[in-house]
């Protein structure tokens, strides 16, 4: 059965049973994967994936496997799964097959991802909207659902149950824990070789439904909040302190986390912004002085208006992440009073 099994325990942990793909010597294999991560891990991985980029989609697909995509529950894809389990398939062949699925269904992922990002950004007020700052996340979530018409219907065939997770530190015992006698289980529990954790599990072949359930689970806990890293701009959930502003993801090629390098980068950016402000004010004053000195030259007035509009657009583009402070500073250096325009 092409399903993902997502569980949440009472300690804000997320348990995921799935089948993932891995690459070894240019051959793709599929294996069973069982992971224990902080709550929201699946949701965050989805949010931080650019589904307009096939390689990013492929990485997400390989991490969580085909189990959970209801559009893949077809005989043709089932045959592919069977062949992957029993035969070798090259990475090139694998990419070609997944790319066919991607081209057919990528718009579904892009649309769902876009709406979910908007809903979560509103729910946790990531845009610092003062009008909703005093509301609770669950209240903002209710408004966001209406604002963005986010009415995805949860899979009606989803299986939900309250049970316990038998987690063993010994992988051999974990595999055979369901076949152990009660006497042996008692012994393992007493020896701290087996943890029994109460949980609610959700079994579905629709990953979108599981993502909504994951968000709902997070909303139930007022101590958990989704944030955006002020360094890499990715979504994250603070673990140690609720006021954290940097995530634990590795930043670029630095081999260090955003938390480790974020403060230094933020300080340098602040200095750079101060340089930009000084340069902006200086250039603005130059224009004003030029117009006062030559009031009869209409071209100066016209160019000044153009300069102000272009400078404002630069500031807006920096906030939106379209351009950088460095490019704005370079533009300010080039476009002083009386100079030509354009980027």
């Amino acid at each position: 059965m092409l399903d993902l099994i997502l569980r949440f325990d009472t300690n804000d942990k997320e348990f995921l049973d799935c089948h993932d793909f891995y690459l070894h010597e240019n051959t793709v294999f599929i294996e069973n994967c069982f992971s224990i991560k902080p709550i929201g891990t699946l949701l965050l991985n989805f949010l931080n994936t650019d589904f307009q980029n096939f390689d990013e989609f492929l990485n997400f697909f390989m991490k969580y496997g085909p189990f959970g995509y209801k559009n893949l529950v077809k005989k043709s894809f089932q045959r592919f799964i069977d062949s992957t389990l029993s035969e070798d398939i090259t990475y090139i062949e694998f990419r070609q097959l997944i790319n066919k699925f991607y081209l057919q269904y990528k718009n579904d992922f892009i649309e769902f991802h876009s709406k979910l990002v908007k809903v979560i950004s509103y729910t946790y007020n990531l845009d610092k909207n003062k009008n909703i700052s005093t509301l609770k996340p669950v209240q903002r979530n209710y408004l966001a659902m209406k604002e963005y018409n986010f009415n995805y219907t949860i899979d009606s065939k989803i299986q939900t149950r309250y049970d316990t997770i038998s987690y063993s530190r010994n992988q051999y015992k974990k595999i055979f824990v369901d076949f152990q006698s009660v006497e042996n289980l008692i012994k393992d529990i007493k020896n701290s070789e087996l943890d029994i954790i109460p949980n609610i599990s959700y079994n579905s072949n629709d990953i979108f439904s599981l993502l909504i359930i994951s968000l709902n689970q997070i909303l139930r806990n007022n101590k958990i909040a989704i944030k955006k890293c002020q360094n890499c701009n990715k979504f994250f959930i603070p673990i140690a302190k609720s006021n954290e502003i940097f995530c634990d993801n590795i930043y670029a090629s630095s081999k260090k986390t955003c938390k480790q390098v974020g403060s230094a980068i933020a300080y340098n950016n602040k200095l750079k912004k101060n340089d930009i402000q000084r340069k902006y004010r200086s250039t603005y004053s130059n224009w004003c002085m030029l117009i006062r000195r030559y009031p009869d030259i209409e071209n100066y007035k016209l160019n000044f208006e153009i300069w102000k509009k272009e400078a404002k657009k630069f500031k807006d583009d920096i906030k939106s992440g379209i351009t950088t402070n460095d490019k704005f500073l370079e533009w300010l250096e080039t476009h002083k009073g009386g100079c030509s325009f354009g980027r």
Side-chain angles (χ1 to χ4, degrees):
M1 189 175 184
L2 303 181
D3 279 4
L4 280 169
I5 301 176
L6 186 64
R7 300 183 176 97
F8 303 98
D9 72 2
T10 52
N11 298 319
D12 295 328
K13 294 292 183 183
E14 178 178 295
F15 300 73
L16 183 67
D17 283 333
C18 64
H19 287 72
D20 65 351
F21 294 102
Y22 69 97
L23 182 64
H24 179 68
E25 295 182 352
N26 202 39
T27 301
V28 176
F29 299 90
I30 189 170
E31 66 177 353
N32 180 262
C33 176
F34 176 78
S35 64
I36 303 175
K37 301 286 185 180
I39 189 171
T41 298
L42 173 64
L43 178 62
L44 293 175
N45 283 336
F46 183 85
L47 293 173
N48 292 327
T49 298
D50 179 6
F51 288 100
Q52 299 193 50
N53 183 313
F54 171 67
D55 286 319
E56 289 203 25
F57 170 84
L58 183 63
N59 288 336
F60 185 85
F61 187 90
M62 291 186 72
K63 182 179 292 186
Y64 295 107
F67 304 86
Y69 301 96
K70 59 183 178 181
N71 288 321
L72 294 184
V73 187
K74 298 177 180 178
K75 291 183 179 179
S76 59
F77 201 83
Q78 184 62 57
R79 285 196 295 270
F80 162 70
I81 298 301
D82 293 339
S83 66
T84 308
L85 289 169
S86 59
E87 302 175 11
D88 294 343
I89 180 171
T90 67
Y91 181 63
I92 294 177
E93 293 172 332
F94 180 79
R95 281 183 64 94
Q96 290 173 341
L97 188 143
I98 302 306
N99 191 50
K100 290 181 181 179
F101 166 73
Y102 173 73
L103 293 175
Q104 187 173 359
Y105 295 109
K106 71 174 184 177
N107 288 336
D108 293 343
F109 283 89
I110 292 171
E111 181 182 358
F112 184 84
H113 179 271
S114 175
K115 283 192 174 183
L116 190 58
V117 166
K118 290 177 181 177
V119 166
I120 288 176
S121 297
Y122 193 98
T123 297
Y124 292 97
N125 200 19
L126 302 182
D127 296 325
K128 308 298 182 184
N129 184 344
K130 292 181 180 179
N131 193 39
I132 59 173
S133 61
T134 58
L135 300 181
K136 296 178 181 179
V138 68
Q139 294 170 330
R140 292 195 291 258
N141 181 257
Y142 169 77
L143 296 173
M145 293 293 190
K146 290 183 172 295
E147 175 72 17
Y148 300 111
N149 192 28
F150 192 68
N151 54 1
Y152 188 83
T153 303
I154 297 291
D155 178 19
S156 60
K157 297 181 180 179
I158 198 166
Q159 298 179 25
T160 307
R161 67 177 183 175
Y162 178 84
D163 58 8
T164 57
I165 294 175
S166 304
Y167 169 60
S168 174
R169 294 169 181 80
N170 184 313
Q171 290 301 308
Y172 179 81
K173 284 188 176 182
K174 175 184 178 298
I175 294 173
F176 295 102
V177 69
D178 290 338
F179 304 99
Q180 294 285 336
S181 66
V182 173
E183 289 76 13
N184 285 337
L185 290 174
I186 292 173
K187 186 186 300 182
D188 286 342
I189 293 172
K190 285 184 176 181
N191 293 334
S192 299
E193 293 185 10
L194 191 65
D195 292 336
I196 306 300
I197 306 170
N199 76 97
I200 298 177
S201 66
Y202 302 91
N203 189 321
S204 176
N205 65 4
D206 179 8
I207 196 169
F208 292 168
S209 292
L210 294 179
L211 291 168
I212 293 174
I213 289 171
S214 179
L215 174 58
N216 183 64
Q217 193 73 19
I218 294 170
L219 280 168
R220 289 171 178 270
N221 191 332
N222 293 325
K223 296 179 180 179
I224 300 176
I226 298 176
K227 293 189 173 186
K228 255 193 173 184
C229 177
Q230 292 190 15
N231 188 45
C232 69
N233 210 35
K234 289 184 177 180
F235 291 93
F236 77 104
I237 294 176
I239 298 176
K241 300 177 181 178
S242 60
N243 62 349
E244 288 178 0
I245 59 175
F246 301 117
C247 69
D248 289 311
N249 293 316
I250 299 298
Y251 177 65
S253 57
S254 66
K255 295 183 179 180
K256 293 183 178 180
T257 66
C258 286
K259 193 179 293 182
Q260 292 171 316
V261 303
S263 297
I265 292 175
Y267 178 73
N268 290 331
N269 286 339
K270 184 177 180 180
L271 292 178
K272 195 169 291 181
K273 286 180 181 179
N274 290 338
D275 289 340
I276 290 173
Q277 282 297 102
R278 283 193 293 269
K279 190 64 185 176
Y280 176 84
R281 286 195 295 266
S282 173
T283 307
Y284 191 98
S285 297
N286 288 342
W287 274 107
C288 292
M289 184 174 63
L290 191 67
I291 292 171
R292 283 196 302 269
R293 185 175 297 175
Y294 305 102
D296 296 332
I297 302 178
E298 291 296 326
N299 194 42
Y300 284 168
K301 296 178 182 178
L302 178 62
N303 283 343
F304 184 35
E305 292 302 316
I306 296 174
W307 181 90
K308 286 192 290 185
K309 289 180 181 179
E310 192 70 12
K312 183 181 184 303
K313 189 174 189 310
F314 250 113
K315 290 181 178 181
D316 292 339
D317 287 350
I318 289 172
K319 289 181 181 179
S320 302
I322 298 174
T323 190
T324 63
N325 288 321
D326 287 332
K327 289 183 179 179
F328 187 29
L329 188 59
E330 181 182 338
W331 182 84
L332 288 171
E333 289 284 354
T334 306
H335 297 80
K336 299 177 182 178
C339 289
S340 59
F341 292 87
R343 297 191 187 184

